[in-house]
Each structure stands twice: as C-alpha cells, then as structure tokens.
Amino acid sequence: MASFQAIAATGQAIIRMLADSRPQPEFSTARFELYQLSDFREPMEEGVSFYLYRLAVNGARRNVPPTVGPDGVRHRPPLPLDLHYIASVWAKSAVKQQRLLGWMVRQLEDIPILPTGLLNQSGPEPDVFKPNETVELILEQLTLQDWNNLWGATKTVPPLSVGYVARMVGIESTVSLSEHTWVQTREIGYGKLLS
C-alpha cells in the first residue's frame, strides 16, 4: 500500500495525465490544476480543475489484513480510501467549454486505471506507491443535494462540472504489530483448597 502522500500523488497524477494528452493546438493554452475551495472565486480562464471535496473509507475493502514489510515486520492494516473529486471545465465560450468537457470525460474513460509509474512520477517522492498498486478512476453520479451543498459553499456561479471517484487509494500504516511467540506448552498448577 502507499504512503500518506498517496492522496496528493493521485490528484497530481490525474492532472498530469490530462495535461500530457491534451489535443493540440485546440487546447494548447488550457491549464490543468488541483483546486481548493477558495480557487473558485477567481478561476482560470481556460482549462480543467479537480477539487477534492470528500474522502471516504472504501466499504468493500474495509477489513484488509495486516501487511508484512520486506523486513518481515507486520504492520497495522492499510486504510483503503475513495477520493471524491469535482472536475470543472473553464472556457470563455460555452462551445469551447463543452468541447473541453467532452474530451476530458472521454480521456478519463479510456484510461480508467492510473498505473504505478504515473502515480509515482506525479508524487512528491518517487516511491509513494508500490510497483503492483494502481488507482481506479470512475465517473460518479452526484445528487442534486450534493451539487447544492457544494456550490452553496463556494458562493459562486457553478461551472460546468462532473463528479469522479478515485477508488482504493490505500494508505499504509507505519505502526508495527507486536508479535508474540506461539504457545508450546501449558502448565496447570494445583494447590490446596482452603476451607
């Protein structure tokens, strides 16, 4: 499983993948950025933003067994997380905004699994994810209530947006589990009964 830097590395990998595959020359000036709530007040002129608005424990893989490191030490089980993003497209015209949205959703649907190489290339350190780890990115249907809650918090006009979830980002524990030796014999002692 990945280190605590996996959340940031996942977002950076999505942005990097989109930036590296943008069609030229149509979207040559488009920017691709991770946003926080305050960025919606003064957004970019053209491009795609990903805003991590919710983090949840993956219910399907909650009971993961402890991991064993290369040194043989057992560690507490990893924490399997789902990262919920809002992807927003920005452009000066509605047509360009919709074209950018169409390209983005097709691109993310064509490459739904983020490989280890991309995840590690985008992170702050080279080995955030182990060689056999990937992250699945899927389109997420948000309810009208979710949209209202999100855009009510920004106090801005909602941009053209779609929801995505990055599934199974496992955060590995550094806390080792104490190992005890196996019980081989049991001694039972009898004493006098006091009356």
Side-chain angles (χ1 to χ4, degrees), residues 53-111:
Y53 74 96
R54 187 166 72 103
L55 182 133
V57 175
N58 184 291
R61 293 281 316 254
R62 185 62 177 120
N63 294 324
V64 180
T67 58
V68 179
D71 55 359
V73 176
R74 291 178 61 219
H75 294 277
R76 291 180 54 90
L79 180 62
L81 300 174
D82 289 344
L83 311 178
H84 298 264
Y85 291 96
I86 295 295
S88 301
V89 291
W90 308 90
K92 290 185 178 181
S93 72
V95 170
K96 190 153 191 181
Q97 191 179 32
Q98 291 173 21
R99 289 175 61 80
L100 187 55
L101 177 67
W103 167 78
M104 181 196 68
V105 296
R106 184 69 259 171
Q107 185 69 22
L108 294 177
E109 189 67 25
D110 286 344
I111 308 171

CSV table of all heavy atoms in Angstrom, one decimal, residues 53-111:
chain,number,residue,atom,x,y,z
A,53,TYR,N,-13.4,17.1,-2.8
A,53,TYR,CA,-14.4,17.6,-1.9
A,53,TYR,C,-14.8,16.6,-0.8
A,53,TYR,O,-15.4,17.0,0.2
A,53,TYR,CB,-15.6,18.1,-2.6
A,53,TYR,CG,-16.5,17.0,-3.1
A,53,TYR,CD1,-17.6,16.5,-2.4
A,53,TYR,CD2,-16.2,16.3,-4.3
A,53,TYR,CE1,-18.4,15.5,-2.9
A,53,TYR,CE2,-17.0,15.3,-4.8
A,53,TYR,CZ,-18.1,14.9,-4.1
A,53,TYR,OH,-18.8,13.8,-4.6
A,54,ARG,N,-14.4,15.4,-1.0
A,54,ARG,CA,-14.8,14.4,0.1
A,54,ARG,C,-13.8,13.2,0.0
A,54,ARG,O,-13.3,12.8,-1.0
A,54,ARG,CB,-16.2,13.9,-0.2
A,54,ARG,CG,-16.8,13.0,0.9
A,54,ARG,CD,-18.3,12.8,0.7
A,54,ARG,NE,-18.7,12.0,-0.4
A,54,ARG,CZ,-19.1,10.8,-0.3
A,54,ARG,NH1,-19.2,10.2,0.8
A,54,ARG,NH2,-19.4,10.1,-1.4
A,55,LEU,N,-13.6,12.6,1.2
A,55,LEU,CA,-12.8,11.4,1.3
A,55,LEU,C,-13.6,10.4,2.1
A,55,LEU,O,-14.2,10.8,3.1
A,55,LEU,CB,-11.5,11.8,2.1
A,55,LEU,CG,-10.5,10.7,2.3
A,55,LEU,CD1,-9.1,11.3,1.9
A,55,LEU,CD2,-10.5,10.3,3.7
A,56,ALA,N,-13.7,9.2,1.7
A,56,ALA,CA,-14.4,8.2,2.4
A,56,ALA,C,-13.7,6.9,2.4
A,56,ALA,O,-12.8,6.6,1.6
A,56,ALA,CB,-15.8,7.9,1.7
A,57,VAL,N,-13.9,6.1,3.5
A,57,VAL,CA,-13.3,4.8,3.6
A,57,VAL,C,-14.1,3.8,2.6
A,57,VAL,O,-15.3,3.8,2.6
A,57,VAL,CB,-13.4,4.2,5.0
A,57,VAL,CG1,-12.9,2.8,5.1
A,57,VAL,CG2,-12.6,5.1,6.0
A,58,ASN,N,-13.3,3.1,1.8
A,58,ASN,CA,-13.9,2.1,0.9
A,58,ASN,C,-14.5,1.0,1.7
A,58,ASN,O,-13.8,0.2,2.3
A,58,ASN,CB,-12.8,1.6,-0.1
A,58,ASN,CG,-13.4,0.7,-1.1
A,58,ASN,OD1,-13.8,-0.4,-0.8
A,58,ASN,ND2,-13.5,1.2,-2.3
A,59,GLY,N,-15.9,0.9,1.6
A,59,GLY,CA,-16.6,-0.1,2.4
A,59,GLY,C,-16.4,-1.6,1.9
A,59,GLY,O,-16.4,-2.5,2.7
A,60,ALA,N,-16.0,-1.7,0.6
A,60,ALA,CA,-15.9,-3.1,0.1
A,60,ALA,C,-14.6,-3.7,0.6
A,60,ALA,O,-14.5,-4.9,0.7
A,60,ALA,CB,-15.8,-3.0,-1.5
A,61,ARG,N,-13.6,-2.9,0.9
A,61,ARG,CA,-12.3,-3.4,1.3
A,61,ARG,C,-11.9,-3.0,2.7
A,61,ARG,O,-10.7,-2.7,3.0
A,61,ARG,CB,-11.2,-3.0,0.3
A,61,ARG,CG,-11.3,-3.6,-1.0
A,61,ARG,CD,-10.8,-5.0,-1.1
A,61,ARG,NE,-9.5,-5.2,-0.4
A,61,ARG,CZ,-8.3,-5.4,-1.0
A,61,ARG,NH1,-8.2,-5.3,-2.3
A,61,ARG,NH2,-7.3,-5.6,-0.3
A,62,ARG,N,-12.9,-2.8,3.6
A,62,ARG,CA,-12.6,-2.2,4.9
A,62,ARG,C,-11.8,-3.2,5.8
A,62,ARG,O,-10.9,-2.8,6.5
A,62,ARG,CB,-13.9,-1.9,5.6
A,62,ARG,CG,-13.7,-1.2,7.0
A,62,ARG,CD,-13.0,0.1,6.8
A,62,ARG,NE,-12.8,0.8,8.0
A,62,ARG,CZ,-11.7,1.2,8.6
A,62,ARG,NH1,-10.6,0.9,8.0
A,62,ARG,NH2,-11.6,1.8,9.7
A,63,ASN,N,-12.0,-4.5,5.7
A,63,ASN,CA,-11.3,-5.5,6.6
A,63,ASN,C,-10.1,-6.0,5.8
A,63,ASN,O,-10.1,-7.2,5.4
A,63,ASN,CB,-12.3,-6.6,7.0
A,63,ASN,CG,-13.3,-6.0,7.9
A,63,ASN,OD1,-13.1,-5.2,8.7
A,63,ASN,ND2,-14.5,-6.6,7.8
A,64,VAL,N,-9.1,-5.2,5.7
A,64,VAL,CA,-7.9,-5.6,5.0
A,64,VAL,C,-6.9,-6.2,6.0
A,64,VAL,O,-6.8,-5.7,7.1
A,64,VAL,CB,-7.2,-4.4,4.3
A,64,VAL,CG1,-6.0,-4.8,3.6
A,64,VAL,CG2,-8.2,-3.8,3.3
A,65,PRO,N,-6.3,-7.3,5.7
A,65,PRO,CA,-5.4,-7.9,6.7
A,65,PRO,C,-4.1,-7.1,6.9
A,65,PRO,O,-3.8,-6.2,6.0
A,65,PRO,CB,-5.0,-9.3,6.0
A,65,PRO,CG,-5.2,-9.1,4.6
A,65,PRO,CD,-6.3,-8.1,4.5
A,66,PRO,N,-3.4,-7.3,8.0
A,66,PRO,CA,-2.1,-6.6,8.2
A,66,PRO,C,-1.2,-6.8,7.1
A,66,PRO,O,-1.2,-7.9,6.4
A,66,PRO,CB,-1.6,-7.1,9.5
A,66,PRO,CG,-2.8,-7.7,10.2
A,66,PRO,CD,-3.7,-8.2,9.1
A,67,THR,N,-0.3,-5.9,6.9
A,67,THR,CA,0.8,-6.0,5.8
A,67,THR,C,2.1,-6.5,6.4
A,67,THR,O,2.3,-6.2,7.6
A,67,THR,CB,1.0,-4.7,5.0
A,67,THR,OG1,1.4,-3.7,6.0
A,67,THR,CG2,-0.3,-4.3,4.3
A,68,VAL,N,2.9,-7.1,5.6
A,68,VAL,CA,4.2,-7.6,6.1
A,68,VAL,C,5.2,-6.9,5.2
A,68,VAL,O,5.2,-6.9,4.0
A,68,VAL,CB,4.4,-9.1,6.0
A,68,VAL,CG1,5.7,-9.5,6.4
A,68,VAL,CG2,3.3,-9.8,6.8
A,69,GLY,N,6.1,-6.1,5.9
A,69,GLY,CA,7.2,-5.4,5.2
A,69,GLY,C,8.3,-6.3,4.6
A,69,GLY,O,8.3,-7.5,5.0
A,70,PRO,N,9.2,-5.8,3.8
A,70,PRO,CA,10.3,-6.6,3.3
A,70,PRO,C,11.2,-7.1,4.4
A,70,PRO,O,11.8,-8.1,4.2
A,70,PRO,CB,11.1,-5.6,2.4
A,70,PRO,CG,10.3,-4.3,2.4
A,70,PRO,CD,9.2,-4.4,3.4
A,71,ASP,N,11.2,-6.4,5.6
A,71,ASP,CA,12.0,-6.9,6.7
A,71,ASP,C,11.3,-8.0,7.5
A,71,ASP,O,11.8,-8.4,8.5
A,71,ASP,CB,12.4,-5.7,7.6
A,71,ASP,CG,11.2,-4.9,8.0
A,71,ASP,OD1,10.0,-5.2,7.7
A,71,ASP,OD2,11.4,-3.9,8.8
A,72,GLY,N,10.0,-8.3,7.1
A,72,GLY,CA,9.2,-9.3,7.9
A,72,GLY,C,8.4,-8.8,9.0
A,72,GLY,O,7.7,-9.6,9.7
A,73,VAL,N,8.4,-7.5,9.2
A,73,VAL,CA,7.7,-6.9,10.3
A,73,VAL,C,6.2,-6.7,9.9
A,73,VAL,O,6.0,-6.2,8.8
A,73,VAL,CB,8.3,-5.6,10.8
A,73,VAL,CG1,7.5,-4.9,11.8
A,73,VAL,CG2,9.7,-5.8,11.3
A,74,ARG,N,5.3,-7.1,10.7
A,74,ARG,CA,3.9,-6.9,10.4
A,74,ARG,C,3.4,-5.5,10.8
A,74,ARG,O,3.9,-5.0,11.9
A,74,ARG,CB,3.0,-8.0,11.1
A,74,ARG,CG,3.2,-9.3,10.5
A,74,ARG,CD,2.4,-10.4,11.3
A,74,ARG,NE,1.0,-10.1,11.1
A,74,ARG,CZ,0.1,-10.3,12.1
A,74,ARG,NH1,0.5,-10.7,13.3
A,74,ARG,NH2,-1.2,-10.0,11.9
A,75,HIS,N,2.6,-4.9,10.0
A,75,HIS,CA,2.1,-3.5,10.3
A,75,HIS,C,0.6,-3.5,10.3
A,75,HIS,O,0.0,-4.4,9.8
A,75,HIS,CB,2.6,-2.5,9.2
A,75,HIS,CG,4.1,-2.3,9.3
A,75,HIS,ND1,4.7,-1.4,10.1
A,75,HIS,CD2,5.0,-2.8,8.5
A,75,HIS,CE1,6.0,-1.5,9.9
A,75,HIS,NE2,6.2,-2.3,8.9
A,76,ARG,N,0.0,-2.5,11.0
A,76,ARG,CA,-1.4,-2.4,11.1
A,76,ARG,C,-2.0,-2.4,9.6
A,76,ARG,O,-1.3,-2.0,8.7
A,76,ARG,CB,-1.8,-1.1,11.8
A,76,ARG,CG,-1.5,-1.2,13.3
A,76,ARG,CD,-1.9,0.1,14.0
A,76,ARG,NE,-3.3,0.4,13.7
A,76,ARG,CZ,-4.3,0.0,14.5
A,76,ARG,NH1,-4.1,-0.7,15.5
A,76,ARG,NH2,-5.6,0.4,14.2
A,77,PRO,N,-3.2,-2.8,9.5
A,77,PRO,CA,-3.8,-2.9,8.1
A,77,PRO,C,-3.9,-1.5,7.5
A,77,PRO,O,-4.0,-0.5,8.1
A,77,PRO,CB,-5.3,-3.4,8.4
A,77,PRO,CG,-5.2,-4.1,9.7
A,77,PRO,CD,-4.2,-3.4,10.5
A,78,PRO,N,-3.7,-1.5,6.1
A,78,PRO,CA,-3.8,-0.2,5.4
A,78,PRO,C,-5.2,0.4,5.5
A,78,PRO,O,-6.2,-0.4,5.7
A,78,PRO,CB,-3.4,-0.5,4.0
A,78,PRO,CG,-3.5,-2.0,3.9
A,78,PRO,CD,-3.4,-2.6,5.3
A,79,LEU,N,-5.3,1.6,5.3
A,79,LEU,CA,-6.6,2.3,5.2
A,79,LEU,C,-7.1,2.5,3.8
A,79,LEU,O,-6.5,3.3,3.1
A,79,LEU,CB,-6.5,3.7,6.0
A,79,LEU,CG,-7.8,4.5,6.1
A,79,LEU,CD1,-8.8,3.8,6.9
A,79,LEU,CD2,-7.4,5.9,6.7
A,80,PRO,N,-8.1,1.8,3.3
A,80,PRO,CA,-8.5,1.9,1.9
A,80,PRO,C,-9.4,3.1,1.7
A,80,PRO,O,-10.5,3.1,2.3
A,80,PRO,CB,-9.2,0.6,1.6
A,80,PRO,CG,-9.7,0.2,2.9
A,80,PRO,CD,-8.8,0.7,4.0
A,81,LEU,N,-9.0,4.1,0.9
A,81,LEU,CA,-9.8,5.3,0.8
A,81,LEU,C,-10.4,5.5,-0.6
A,81,LEU,O,-9.8,5.0,-1.6
A,81,LEU,CB,-8.9,6.5,1.1
A,81,LEU,CG,-8.4,6.6,2.5
A,81,LEU,CD1,-7.4,7.8,2.6
A,81,LEU,CD2,-9.5,6.7,3.5
A,82,ASP,N,-11.5,6.2,-0.7
A,82,ASP,CA,-12.1,6.6,-2.0
A,82,ASP,C,-12.0,8.1,-2.0
A,82,ASP,O,-12.4,8.8,-1.0
A,82,ASP,CB,-13.5,6.2,-2.2
A,82,ASP,CG,-13.6,4.7,-2.4
A,82,ASP,OD1,-12.6,4.0,-2.8
A,82,ASP,OD2,-14.8,4.2,-2.3
A,83,LEU,N,-11.4,8.7,-3.0
A,83,LEU,CA,-11.3,10.2,-3.1
A,83,LEU,C,-12.3,10.7,-4.1
A,83,LEU,O,-12.3,10.3,-5.3
A,83,LEU,CB,-9.9,10.5,-3.6
A,83,LEU,CG,-8.7,9.9,-2.9
A,83,LEU,CD1,-7.4,10.3,-3.5
A,83,LEU,CD2,-8.7,10.2,-1.4
A,84,HIS,N,-13.2,11.6,-3.7
A,84,HIS,CA,-14.3,12.1,-4.5
A,84,HIS,C,-13.9,13.5,-5.0
A,84,HIS,O,-13.6,14.4,-4.2
A,84,HIS,CB,-15.6,12.2,-3.7
A,84,HIS,CG,-16.0,10.8,-3.2
A,84,HIS,ND1,-17.0,10.1,-3.9
A,84,HIS,CD2,-15.7,10.0,-2.2
A,84,HIS,CE1,-17.2,8.9,-3.3
A,84,HIS,NE2,-16.4,8.9,-2.2
A,85,TYR,N,-13.9,13.7,-6.3
A,85,TYR,CA,-13.5,14.9,-6.9
A,85,TYR,C,-14.6,15.5,-7.7
A,85,TYR,O,-15.5,14.8,-8.2
A,85,TYR,CB,-12.4,14.6,-8.0
A,85,TYR,CG,-11.0,14.2,-7.4
A,85,TYR,CD1,-10.7,12.9,-7.3
A,85,TYR,CD2,-10.1,15.2,-6.9
A,85,TYR,CE1,-9.5,12.5,-6.7
A,85,TYR,CE2,-8.9,14.8,-6.4
A,85,TYR,CZ,-8.6,13.5,-6.3
A,85,TYR,OH,-7.3,13.2,-5.8
A,86,ILE,N,-14.6,16.8,-7.9
A,86,ILE,CA,-15.4,17.6,-8.8
A,86,ILE,C,-14.5,18.1,-9.9
A,86,ILE,O,-13.5,18.8,-9.6
A,86,ILE,CB,-16.1,18.8,-8.2
A,86,ILE,CG1,-17.1,18.3,-7.1
A,86,ILE,CG2,-16.8,19.6,-9.2
A,86,ILE,CD1,-18.3,17.5,-7.7
A,87,ALA,N,-14.7,17.6,-11.1
A,87,ALA,CA,-13.9,18.1,-12.3
A,87,ALA,C,-14.7,19.2,-12.9
A,87,ALA,O,-15.8,19.0,-13.4
A,87,ALA,CB,-13.6,17.0,-13.2
A,88,SER,N,-14.1,20.4,-13.0
A,88,SER,CA,-14.8,21.5,-13.7
A,88,SER,C,-14.0,22.0,-14.9
A,88,SER,O,-12.8,22.0,-14.9
A,88,SER,CB,-14.9,22.7,-12.7
A,88,SER,OG,-15.6,22.3,-11.5
A,89,VAL,N,-14.7,22.4,-15.9
A,89,VAL,CA,-14.1,22.9,-17.1
A,89,VAL,C,-14.4,24.4,-17.2
A,89,VAL,O,-15.5,24.8,-16.9
A,89,VAL,CB,-14.6,22.1,-18.4
A,89,VAL,CG1,-14.0,20.7,-18.4
A,89,VAL,CG2,-16.1,22.1,-18.5
A,90,TRP,N,-13.4,25.1,-17.7
A,90,TRP,CA,-13.4,26.5,-17.8
A,90,TRP,C,-13.0,27.0,-19.2
A,90,TRP,O,-12.1,26.5,-19.8
A,90,TRP,CB,-12.4,27.2,-16.8
A,90,TRP,CG,-12.6,26.6,-15.4
A,90,TRP,CD1,-11.9,25.5,-14.9
A,90,TRP,CD2,-13.5,27.1,-14.4
A,90,TRP,NE1,-12.3,25.3,-13.6
A,90,TRP,CE2,-13.3,26.3,-13.2
A,90,TRP,CE3,-14.4,28.2,-14.3
A,90,TRP,CZ2,-14.0,26.5,-12.0
A,90,TRP,CZ3,-15.0,28.4,-13.1
A,90,TRP,CH2,-14.8,27.6,-12.0
A,91,ALA,N,-13.8,27.9,-19.8
A,91,ALA,CA,-13.5,28.4,-21.1
A,91,ALA,C,-14.3,29.7,-21.3
A,91,ALA,O,-15.3,29.9,-20.5
A,91,ALA,CB,-13.8,27.5,-22.2
A,92,LYS,N,-13.9,30.6,-22.2
A,92,LYS,CA,-14.6,31.8,-22.4
A,92,LYS,C,-15.9,31.6,-23.2
A,92,LYS,O,-16.8,32.4,-23.1
A,92,LYS,CB,-13.7,32.8,-23.2
A,92,LYS,CG,-12.6,33.3,-22.3
A,92,LYS,CD,-11.8,34.3,-23.1
A,92,LYS,CE,-10.7,34.8,-22.1
A,92,LYS,NZ,-9.8,35.8,-22.8
A,93,SER,N,-16.0,30.6,-24.0
A,93,SER,CA,-17.3,30.3,-24.7
A,93,SER,C,-17.9,29.0,-24.3
A,93,SER,O,-17.1,28.1,-23.9
A,93,SER,CB,-17.0,30.3,-26.2
A,93,SER,OG,-16.3,29.2,-26.6
A,94,ALA,N,-19.2,28.9,-24.4
A,94,ALA,CA,-19.9,27.6,-24.0
A,94,ALA,C,-19.5,26.5,-24.9
A,94,ALA,O,-19.3,25.3,-24.4
A,94,ALA,CB,-21.4,27.8,-24.0
A,95,VAL,N,-19.3,26.8,-26.2
A,95,VAL,CA,-18.9,25.7,-27.1
A,95,VAL,C,-17.5,25.1,-26.7
A,95,VAL,O,-17.3,23.9,-26.7
A,95,VAL,CB,-18.9,26.3,-28.6
A,95,VAL,CG1,-18.3,25.2,-29.5
A,95,VAL,CG2,-20.3,26.6,-29.0
A,96,LYS,N,-16.5,26.0,-26.5
A,96,LYS,CA,-15.2,25.5,-26.1
A,96,LYS,C,-15.2,24.8,-24.8
A,96,LYS,O,-14.6,23.8,-24.6
A,96,LYS,CB,-14.2,26.7,-26.1
A,96,LYS,CG,-12.8,26.2,-25.9
A,96,LYS,CD,-11.8,27.1,-26.5
A,96,LYS,CE,-10.4,26.5,-26.6
A,96,LYS,NZ,-9.4,27.3,-27.1
A,97,GLN,N,-16.1,25.3,-23.8
A,97,GLN,CA,-16.2,24.6,-22.5
A,97,GLN,C,-16.8,23.2,-22.7
A,97,GLN,O,-16.3,22.2,-22.1
A,97,GLN,CB,-17.1,25.5,-21.7
A,97,GLN,CG,-17.1,25.1,-20.2
A,97,GLN,CD,-18.0,26.0,-19.4
A,97,GLN,OE1,-19.1,26.5,-19.9
A,97,GLN,NE2,-17.7,26.2,-18.1
A,98,GLN,N,-17.8,23.1,-23.6
A,98,GLN,CA,-18.4,21.7,-23.8
A,98,GLN,C,-17.4,20.8,-24.6
A,98,GLN,O,-17.4,19.6,-24.3
A,98,GLN,CB,-19.7,21.9,-24.5
A,98,GLN,CG,-20.7,22.5,-23.6
A,98,GLN,CD,-22.0,22.9,-24.3
A,98,GLN,OE1,-22.3,22.3,-25.4
A,98,GLN,NE2,-22.8,23.8,-23.7
A,99,ARG,N,-16.7,21.4,-25.5
A,99,ARG,CA,-15.7,20.6,-26.2
A,99,ARG,C,-14.6,20.0,-25.3
A,99,ARG,O,-14.2,18.9,-25.3
A,99,ARG,CB,-15.0,21.4,-27.4
A,99,ARG,CG,-16.0,21.6,-28.5
A,99,ARG,CD,-15.4,22.5,-29.6
A,99,ARG,NE,-14.2,21.9,-30.2
A,99,ARG,CZ,-14.2,21.0,-31.2
A,99,ARG,NH1,-15.4,20.6,-31.6
A,99,ARG,NH2,-13.1,20.6,-31.7
A,100,LEU,N,-14.2,20.9,-24.4
A,100,LEU,CA,-13.2,20.5,-23.4
A,100,LEU,C,-13.7,19.4,-22.4
A,100,LEU,O,-13.0,18.5,-22.1
A,100,LEU,CB,-12.7,21.7,-22.6
A,100,LEU,CG,-11.5,21.6,-21.6
A,100,LEU,CD1,-10.3,21.0,-22.3
A,100,LEU,CD2,-11.2,22.9,-20.9
A,101,LEU,N,-15.0,19.6,-22.0
A,101,LEU,CA,-15.6,18.6,-21.2
A,101,LEU,C,-15.7,17.2,-21.9
A,101,LEU,O,-15.4,16.2,-21.3
A,101,LEU,CB,-17.0,19.1,-20.8
A,101,LEU,CG,-17.8,18.1,-19.9
A,101,LEU,CD1,-17.1,17.8,-18.6
A,101,LEU,CD2,-19.2,18.5,-19.7
A,102,GLY,N,-16.1,17.3,-23.2
A,102,GLY,CA,-16.3,16.0,-23.9
A,102,GLY,C,-14.9,15.3,-24.1
A,102,GLY,O,-14.9,14.1,-23.9
A,103,TRP,N,-13.9,16.1,-24.4
A,103,TRP,CA,-12.6,15.5,-24.5
A,103,TRP,C,-12.1,14.9,-23.1
A,103,TRP,O,-11.6,13.8,-23.1
A,103,TRP,CB,-11.5,16.5,-25.0
A,103,TRP,CG,-10.1,16.0,-24.8
A,103,TRP,CD1,-9.5,15.1,-25.6
A,103,TRP,CD2,-9.2,16.3,-23.7
A,103,TRP,NE1,-8.2,14.9,-25.1
A,103,TRP,CE2,-8.1,15.6,-23.9
A,103,TRP,CE3,-9.3,17.1,-22.6
A,103,TRP,CZ2,-7.0,15.7,-23.1
A,103,TRP,CZ3,-8.3,17.2,-21.7
A,103,TRP,CH2,-7.1,16.5,-22.0
A,104,MET,N,-12.3,15.6,-22.0
A,104,MET,CA,-11.9,15.2,-20.7
A,104,MET,C,-12.5,13.9,-20.3
A,104,MET,O,-11.9,12.9,-19.9
A,104,MET,CB,-12.1,16.2,-19.7
A,104,MET,CG,-11.6,15.8,-18.3
A,104,MET,SD,-12.3,16.8,-16.9
A,104,MET,CE,-14.0,16.4,-17.0
A,105,VAL,N,-13.9,13.8,-20.4
A,105,VAL,CA,-14.6,12.6,-19.9
A,105,VAL,C,-14.2,11.4,-20.8
A,105,VAL,O,-14.1,10.3,-20.3
A,105,VAL,CB,-16.1,12.8,-19.9
A,105,VAL,CG1,-16.5,13.8,-18.8
A,105,VAL,CG2,-16.7,13.1,-21.2
A,106,ARG,N,-14.0,11.6,-22.1
A,106,ARG,CA,-13.6,10.5,-23.0
A,106,ARG,C,-12.2,10.0,-22.6
A,106,ARG,O,-11.9,8.8,-22.6
A,106,ARG,CB,-13.6,11.0,-24.4
A,106,ARG,CG,-13.3,9.9,-25.4
A,106,ARG,CD,-14.4,8.8,-25.5
A,106,ARG,NE,-14.0,7.6,-24.8
A,106,ARG,CZ,-14.8,6.6,-24.5
A,106,ARG,NH1,-16.0,6.6,-24.9
A,106,ARG,NH2,-14.3,5.6,-23.8
A,107,GLN,N,-11.3,11.0,-22.3
A,107,GLN,CA,-9.9,10.6,-22.0
A,107,GLN,C,-9.9,9.8,-20.7
A,107,GLN,O,-9.2,8.8,-20.6
A,107,GLN,CB,-9.1,11.9,-21.8
A,107,GLN,CG,-7.6,11.7,-21.6
A,107,GLN,CD,-6.9,11.1,-22.8
A,107,GLN,OE1,-7.3,11.2,-23.9
A,107,GLN,NE2,-5.8,10.5,-22.5
A,108,LEU,N,-10.6,10.3,-19.7
A,108,LEU,CA,-10.6,9.6,-18.4
A,108,LEU,C,-11.3,8.2,-18.5
A,108,LEU,O,-11.0,7.3,-17.7
A,108,LEU,CB,-11.2,10.5,-17.3
A,108,LEU,CG,-10.4,11.7,-17.0
A,108,LEU,CD1,-11.2,12.6,-15.9
A,108,LEU,CD2,-9.0,11.4,-16.5
A,109,GLU,N,-12.3,8.1,-19.4
A,109,GLU,CA,-12.9,6.8,-19.6
A,109,GLU,C,-12.0,5.8,-20.3
A,109,GLU,O,-12.1,4.6,-20.0
A,109,GLU,CB,-14.2,7.0,-20.3
A,109,GLU,CG,-15.1,5.8,-20.4
A,109,GLU,CD,-15.7,5.4,-19.1
A,109,GLU,OE1,-15.8,6.2,-18.2
A,109,GLU,OE2,-16.0,4.2,-18.9
A,110,ASP,N,-11.2,6.4,-21.2
A,110,ASP,CA,-10.3,5.5,-21.9
A,110,ASP,C,-9.1,5.0,-21.1
A,110,ASP,O,-8.6,3.9,-21.3
A,110,ASP,CB,-9.7,6.2,-23.1
A,110,ASP,CG,-10.7,6.4,-24.3
A,110,ASP,OD1,-11.8,5.7,-24.2
A,110,ASP,OD2,-10.5,7.3,-25.1
A,111,ILE,N,-8.7,5.7,-20.1
A,111,ILE,CA,-7.7,5.3,-19.2
A,111,ILE,C,-8.2,5.3,-17.7
A,111,ILE,O,-7.8,6.2,-16.9
A,111,ILE,CB,-6.4,6.3,-19.3
A,111,ILE,CG1,-6.0,6.4,-20.8
A,111,ILE,CG2,-5.3,5.7,-18.5
A,111,ILE,CD1,-5.0,7.4,-21.1
